[in-house]
Amino acid sequence: MKALIKTRNTRSERVFLVGVELKSRDRAELRESLDELAELAQTAGAEVVGDGIQKMESLNAATFIGKGKADEFGKFCKANDVDTVIFDDELSPAQNRNLEKILECKILDRTALILDIFAQRARTREGKMQIELAQLQHLLPRLTKFWGHLSRQAGGIGMRGGEGESQLEADRRKVQERIDKIERDLDAVRRQRATQRAGRQRSNWPLASIVGYTNAGKSTLLNALTGADVLAKDILFATLDPTTRRLKLPTNQNVLLTDTVGFIKKLPHGLVEAFKATLEEVVQADLLLHVVDISHPQAEEQIAAVNSVLAEIGASEKPTIMVFNKIDKLDGSGALNRLQEKFLHAVGISATTGEGISTLLAELGTQLRPTRAFLELRVPHEQSAVIARLHKVGQVIERRYNGKTARFKVRIPPQHHDEFAPFIVRKTSAA
Ligand SMILES: Nc1nc2c(ncn2[C@@H]2O[C@H](COP(=O)(O)OP(=O)(O)OP(=O)(O)O)[C@@H](O)[C@H]2O)c(=O)[nH]1
Ligand SMILES: [Mg+2]
């Protein structure tokens, strides 16, 4: 797919950002959000010319911001040679169109911008497929309304069933066909990954997934721990494709460590959906390392944003170590102490100086030990909810069917043992 943000040889695309202050979102929060949007825009290769804020009671259904304000921004954009206006919130297709008319330039929203960055970053076939799927899904409803609007405008009643509509049907079908094809291909990728995972399970090495807000230092941590050479850069979404490396703990335990795509506030739902194959590494993990840039003023909001994505993919109940990174950038220990009090398993580190890494390795060893013990369960086939739950919270190592029951050899985090108590046949502690 074509990038939405163009970087011309002569000059970068000039963009103006717009945010809305609402009762539910005060000025300070909006400021942070707009600063992040500016970073996203720069990451996409644009030059930010300025931004504008409107304080509103409720949003305008037709133009998102007020008509008067839109006119004012329009004048500014004309005077300052702005190519594109980017809104911090997702616009409806109608709002997008109306704003295009008033502001007389290209209109994008945060979702389209994030999708655009992902499109520029995708390297592997899987990454490219996932991002194209998300872009098409974002496009499809817009295409529908856009064409619907055109045919009404062009001919109204007389146009119904005419040229416009068949064009609409043709294009929607084309987009839908492509979506179906990508979904099928991604399915194949998922199956292939499941096979790889099965291989890993035979090796019985536990899997830890590094998650966290974009730019928190996930790749830097993986590199520091395993000597991997994943691109670590001060840009948003440096990493799209997962990388897995083996880490040998000082206790001689082996663990597989996966670095994956970063999360962000208002991550488009379609994107989470599209990245399910990549995020499956997270869903399958025995343990999560949640990396936080503790030097960031919005560290706590970023933790919340990451947690909500984890919930969306069904990984919020995983045992988690909170890794408070970049402590070398902190002025005092106030922020670290405050957050360490809030979370059970928390370690302060600097992935660049190495401070705290040995504590983190020790914590990893402690956290992984219980998951190395196996349970053997016998579950009647009709208990499908129990079996589904087992796959959700545990890691199934072996499965045998005989007669009316299924036997499972699984690793289940200790806090979930009670739930399965009636089905436990044997507890085995592995060497
Ligand atoms: N000062 C300091 N900078 C760090 C530390 N860890 C990472 N960084 C810097 O933070 C930036 C982002 O690091 P990455 O490792 O790329 O972050 P990431 O979480 O993988 O980011 P995405 O892949 O973009 O989601 C880089 O410029 C790193 O050098 C740290 O402990 N201290
Ligand atoms: Mg990264």
Side-chain angles (χ1 to χ4, degrees), residues 91-165:
L91 300 171
S92 72
Q95 287 168 339
N96 214 314
R97 214 162 39 237
N98 292 334
L99 284 164
E100 216 166 71
K101 276 188 213 129
I102 301 171
L103 292 160
E104 290 181 342
C105 59
K106 185 164 79 182
I107 307 291
L108 295 178
D109 58 18
R110 182 182 258 256
T111 303
L113 182 58
I114 293 175
L115 291 174
D116 187 69
I117 294 171
F118 273 60
Q120 291 186 29
R121 288 273 188 281
R123 288 290 170 271
T124 61
R125 197 172 84 91
E126 179 185 4
K128 286 185 179 144
M129 281 190 311
Q130 293 180 123
I131 181 65
E132 189 183 347
L133 180 62
Q135 283 188 312
L136 290 174
Q137 282 165 338
H138 187 68
L139 183 73
L140 191 60
R142 275 142 232 274
L143 196 67
T144 310
K145 294 200 182 156
F146 181 66
W147 281 101
H149 174 85
L150 267 195
S151 57
R152 258 199 316 282
Q153 201 185 40
I157 295 166
M159 274 291 290
R160 252 177 244 164
E163 190 74 59
E165 207 135 337

Side-chain angles (χ1 to χ4, degrees), residues 213-220 232-239 262 325-326 328-329 350-352:
Y213 209 75
T214 181
N215 214 39
K218 300 178 294 297
S219 301
T220 310
K233 234 177 133 186
D234 195 9
I235 48 173
L236 303 179
F237 301 115
T239 311
N325 189 30
K326 307 198 188 179
D328 58 291
K329 282 173 88 179
S350 167
T352 49

Side-chain angles (χ1 to χ4, degrees), residues 121 210-223 230-240 259-263 291-293 295 324-330 349-355:
R121 288 273 188 281
I210 304 178
V211 297
Y213 209 75
T214 181
N215 214 39
K218 300 178 294 297
S219 301
T220 310
L221 178 63
L222 182 81
N223 293 344
V230 176
L231 172 74
K233 234 177 133 186
D234 195 9
I235 48 173
L236 303 179
F237 301 115
T239 311
L240 274 200
D259 172 34
T260 185
V261 59
F263 300 162
V291 180
V292 179
D293 174 358
S295 70
F324 295 124
N325 189 30
K326 307 198 188 179
I327 51 172
D328 58 291
K329 282 173 88 179
L330 288 180
I349 66 153
S350 167
T352 49
T353 71
E355 198 183 339

